[in-house]
Amino acid sequence: MEGQDEVSAREQHFHSQVRESTICFLLFAILYIVSYVIITRYKRKSDEQEDEDAIVNRISLFLSTFTLAVSAGAVLLLPFSIISNEILLSFPQNYYIQWLNGSLIHGLWNLASLFSNLCLFVLMPFAFFFLESEGFAGLKKGIRARILETLVMLILLALLILGIVWVASALIDNDAASMESLYDLWEFYLPYLYSCISLMGCLLLLLCTPVGLSRMFTVMGQLLVKPAILEDLDEQIYIITLEEEALQRRLSGLSSSVEYNRTELEQELENVKILKKKLERRKKASAWERNLVYPAVMVLLLIETSISVLLVACNILCLLVDETAMPKGTRGPGIGNASLSAFGFVGAALEIILIFYLMVSSVVGFYSLRFFGNFIPKKGDTTMTKIIGNCVSILVLSSALPVMSRTLGITRFDLLGDFGRFNWLGNFYIVLAYNLLFAIVTTLCLVRKFTSAVREELFKALGLHKLHLSDTPRDSDTAKPSANGHQKAL
């Protein structure tokens, strides 16, 4: 009888493993297909030759697609876990959700951590070096020579990183036990290295997210149709049409030998056409879209940003009085045993919305920074090297998103797998300083955003606008038409 029970338990375990593997494969296949569509939309078409470079580009494309799919999985990891916990809590005995269990959630977290390490330390460096390789001098050119050069570069990079980690470990913790633990490559070295990368990702999020939260208002203002208050759109369209016709006449009468002036006029004509399309779109928009959607979206963004800052402020108070508020604190009751929010399913939905909002804001803030401005992909005109750089950047941001969400107190869901083993998560001063910096920097960015118009008027009234003390670009806009259709500088 005991033998039959043991065989039955083994069969159930085998079936559960097969079911979980199938679910993980299907989820990843969906993410891979979506990622492939996104990358091919931005990839430069001229890279599609039928030669050796085409094979290299295709391999790099597949590796970049895999990395982007892993990044999407890391973003969806925490929201999927939160909603799964609420579903299991609401329908504990439902037959149709038996596949959704704690074992599946833990497996997804472990796979996300494993694939993030694999993409960050192996696949993306291989794709970059493989794309830039030409083969060693004296060897026969071809794929094998490029693979050999890529592997040598990877080995040298691994030795360089190993040396940097050894030096960092000696400076931070000069202990024989810690130095000997670096010999354990799988159990200590890679998790320690990934912990450092995660800390860098969280610091990057700390820099990008506040900027993105303030930048979101501008981005949504560009995507939506603003209310036409005291504006005559017909007159603006008429003026911009006259300007377009004048530029076309100047181009038609310009000599082909003057290439520089022709290029300037063509760029100016393109800007005028873009502005004309925006004005026509505003004219065709319905009254509901102009007067209701835009204010509602702005108010929604303001509410979400305010709630995020309030949650961080509350988390700072909890850190000062409660040890369990630490990200690496006491483990919770488990998946499906208790709700993580005092408001139940509504609170969990709010946490998911805030997590997605923070991720979108961090991406917007990342591309808004001057240092990363050249990373912005262009539709149909992005090189594979830039695609690899974008995939690595998004992977670092997405891998740090669950850690940042838990550190800031946006959610109380415990970090599973290797995400909860980072050493710096147990340091009270680092966590407290991270929360304080996020709240202060976000508040300053929002105040700077909403007081920019007042500062502009004050600078003009005091005669300081000629000193360019504000952050509003001036030189680049002198040759562009303004919003009312007139030329800003004649």
Side-chain angles (χ1 to χ4, degrees), residues 214-224 226-227 292-306 357 449-450:
S214 61
R215 179 70 178 166
M216 283 291 291
F217 295 91
T218 304
V219 173
M220 296 306 297
Q222 295 173 352
L223 296 176
L224 299 175
K226 297 181 180 180
L292 183 62
V293 175
Y294 179 81
V297 171
M298 292 296 118
V299 171
L300 183 62
L301 291 178
L302 184 61
I303 291 175
E304 291 180 345
T305 306
S306 303
Y357 179 58
K449 170 68 179 177
F450 291 113

Side-chain angles (χ1 to χ4, degrees), residues 270-296:
E270 186 67 24
N271 294 334
V272 170
K273 289 181 178 179
I274 293 174
L275 182 57
K276 183 180 178 181
K277 289 181 180 179
K278 292 181 179 179
L279 292 174
E280 291 176 347
R281 179 171 177 263
R282 291 182 61 186
K283 183 180 178 181
K284 294 178 181 178
S286 62
W288 289 97
E289 185 179 358
R290 289 197 307 265
N291 302 323
L292 183 62
V293 175
Y294 179 81

Side-chain angles (χ1 to χ4, degrees), residues 200-419:
M200 293 175 57
C202 288
L203 293 177
L204 184 60
L205 282 175
L206 181 61
L207 179 64
C208 298
T209 307
V211 177
L213 289 174
S214 61
R215 179 70 178 166
M216 283 291 291
F217 295 91
T218 304
V219 173
M220 296 306 297
Q222 295 173 352
L223 296 176
L224 299 175
V225 178
K226 297 181 180 180
I229 301 176
L230 302 178
E231 286 184 296
D232 190 351
L233 295 179
D234 293 329
E235 180 184 358
Q236 295 182 24
I237 293 174
Y238 176 72
I239 294 173
I240 206 71
T241 302
L242 293 178
E243 188 172 354
E244 181 184 4
E245 294 175 354
L247 289 173
Q248 289 176 350
R249 286 194 299 269
R250 290 179 61 185
L251 277 173
S252 60
L254 193 65
S255 175
S256 59
S257 60
V258 189
E259 187 64 29
Y260 179 73
N261 291 336
R262 176 173 289 273
T263 304
E264 277 191 345
L265 288 176
E266 288 177 352
Q267 182 63 37
E268 189 174 351
L269 180 61
E270 186 67 24
N271 294 334
V272 170
K273 289 181 178 179
I274 293 174
L275 182 57
K276 183 180 178 181
K277 289 181 180 179
K278 292 181 179 179
L279 292 174
E280 291 176 347
R281 179 171 177 263
R282 291 182 61 186
K283 183 180 178 181
K284 294 178 181 178
S286 62
W288 289 97
E289 185 179 358
R290 289 197 307 265
N291 302 323
L292 183 62
V293 175
Y294 179 81
V297 171
M298 292 296 118
V299 171
L300 183 62
L301 291 178
L302 184 61
I303 291 175
E304 291 180 345
T305 306
S306 303
I307 292 176
S308 301
V309 176
L310 288 176
L311 287 177
V312 174
C314 293
N315 188 57
I316 293 173
L317 296 178
C318 292
L319 287 172
L320 296 175
V321 299
D322 189 4
E323 294 182 356
T324 59
M326 290 289 294
K328 204 176 181 180
T330 307
R331 293 300 174 190
I335 299 175
N337 295 326
S339 180
L340 301 174
S341 175
F343 300 99
F345 194 85
V346 177
L350 179 61
E351 291 179 359
I352 294 173
I353 293 173
L354 292 178
I355 290 171
F356 282 123
Y357 179 58
L358 290 178
M359 183 60 197
V360 174
S361 301
S362 64
V363 174
V364 172
F366 176 80
Y367 289 116
S368 299
L369 297 176
R370 294 182 180 180
F371 185 76
F372 302 106
N374 295 328
F375 269 57
I376 300 177
K378 298 179 181 179
K379 182 180 177 181
D381 191 29
T382 307
T383 61
M384 277 306 306
T385 304
K386 188 175 290 187
I387 288 176
I388 291 173
N390 279 275
C391 290
V392 172
S393 303
I394 294 176
L395 177 63
V396 173
L397 293 175
S398 60
S399 299
L401 179 66
V403 182
M404 186 193 74
S405 301
R406 181 63 182 90
T407 304
L408 296 178
I410 303 298
T411 180
R412 294 297 177 183
F413 191 89
D414 289 320
L415 299 174
L416 305 177
D418 290 334
F419 288 92

Side-chain angles (χ1 to χ4, degrees), residues 21 26 61 162 192 210 311 347 428 435 456:
S21 302
L26 291 176
L61 174 63
L162 177 63
Y192 178 77
L311 287 177
F428 172 78
N435 282 263
E456 285 291 325

Side-chain angles (χ1 to χ4, degrees), residues 19-187:
R19 182 175 62 249
E20 293 173 6
S21 302
T22 305
I23 293 173
C24 294
F25 176 78
L26 291 176
L27 292 176
F28 185 78
I30 295 173
L31 295 177
Y32 188 90
I33 293 173
V34 174
S35 302
Y36 182 80
V37 172
I38 294 174
I39 291 182
T40 52
R41 181 182 179 85
Y42 287 95
K43 182 177 177 292
R44 178 178 291 178
K45 306 303 179 183
S46 59
D47 290 342
E48 300 176 357
Q49 312 99 346
E50 291 298 332
D51 54 4
E52 177 184 319
D53 291 334
I55 300 176
V56 175
N57 282 328
R58 197 172 296 116
I59 294 175
S60 301
L61 174 63
F62 292 151
L63 295 179
S64 301
T65 305
F66 184 86
T67 303
L68 188 59
V70 172
S71 304
V75 172
L76 297 174
L77 193 61
L78 194 56
F80 182 77
S81 302
I82 294 174
I83 197 67
S84 299
N85 180 75
E86 298 299 325
I87 291 176
L88 291 175
L89 189 64
S90 302
F91 309 99
Q93 303 297 329
N94 195 317
Y95 173 78
Y96 296 101
I97 60 172
Q98 292 299 315
W99 57 273
L100 192 63
N101 49 39
S103 176
L104 174 64
I105 304 301
H106 281 272
L108 289 175
W109 281 78
N110 291 327
L111 287 176
S113 176
L114 175 63
F115 286 154
S116 297
N117 281 283
L118 181 65
C119 293
L120 193 59
F121 299 122
V122 180
L123 297 185
M124 284 294 93
F126 178 85
F128 176 76
F129 290 130
F130 191 46
L131 192 66
E132 300 294 330
S133 64
E134 296 180 357
F136 291 112
L139 296 179
K140 184 180 179 181
K141 300 297 182 181
I143 298 296
R144 292 184 179 180
R146 300 181 73 162
I147 292 177
L148 178 61
E149 181 184 352
T150 303
L151 293 178
V152 172
M153 293 299 296
L154 284 177
I155 293 174
L156 294 177
L157 179 64
L159 293 176
L160 176 63
I161 295 177
L162 177 63
I164 293 175
V165 173
W166 269 79
V167 172
S169 178
L171 294 175
I172 297 175
D173 189 7
N174 191 9
D175 188 9
S178 64
M179 297 298 293
E180 290 178 0
S181 60
L182 284 175
Y183 290 108
D184 195 346
L185 182 65
W186 186 259
E187 292 294 332

